[in-house]
Amino acid sequence: AGRASLVVTLEKARETWWASIFKDADPRERIDTTKVDSTKKIDEYDDLTQATIRKIMFDQRQKARGLPTSDEMKTNELLEKVKYLPGSPFLQDGSPPPDDDRGADSATDPS
């Protein structure tokens, strides 16, 4: 039998610690949120954890402003880099769009 997977993305309506992602979770499987130390300063964490926290905070601010997250920005930059490469699905008949002057002959003068 083949394996299947399910990806679930949850977004919080407000910033708070969740005891569980399931409403009716067994109390033994819940996190005691009163024991979560959320008073630690960012610079008290190791470099990787600090970077992750800063990325999450940046992405939350971007999302709240209706702007792209850091991952969306990376994806857009990559798409811009490959947009006009040979074989790109963004090209029609293998040539750049008419408003792109990269293929224009600079010696041609329309006047």
Side-chain angles (χ1 to χ4, degrees), residues 46-91:
D46 63 85
D47 290 343
L48 180 60
T49 303
Q50 287 183 43
T52 302
I53 292 169
R54 287 190 173 102
K55 179 183 183 294
I56 291 168
M57 291 170 62
F58 173 81
D59 288 343
Q60 286 177 341
R61 283 191 304 272
Q62 289 291 96
K63 207 170 190 183
R65 295 176 182 150
L67 299 172
T69 64
S70 55
D71 290 336
E72 292 167 338
M73 291 166 66
K74 284 180 188 175
T75 300
N76 291 338
E77 287 173 19
L78 181 60
L79 286 173
E80 282 301 314
K81 286 181 182 179
V82 300
K83 189 183 278 187
Y84 299 112
L85 292 177
S88 169
F90 299 106
L91 298 178

Side-chain angles (χ1 to χ4, degrees), residues 17-35:
W17 287 101
W18 287 354
S20 174
I21 59 170
F22 301 105
K23 181 180 178 183
D24 298 323
D26 184 326
R28 295 172 297 187
E29 297 175 355
R30 291 179 175 259
I31 297 169
D32 183 354
T33 58
T34 62
K35 294 182 180 179

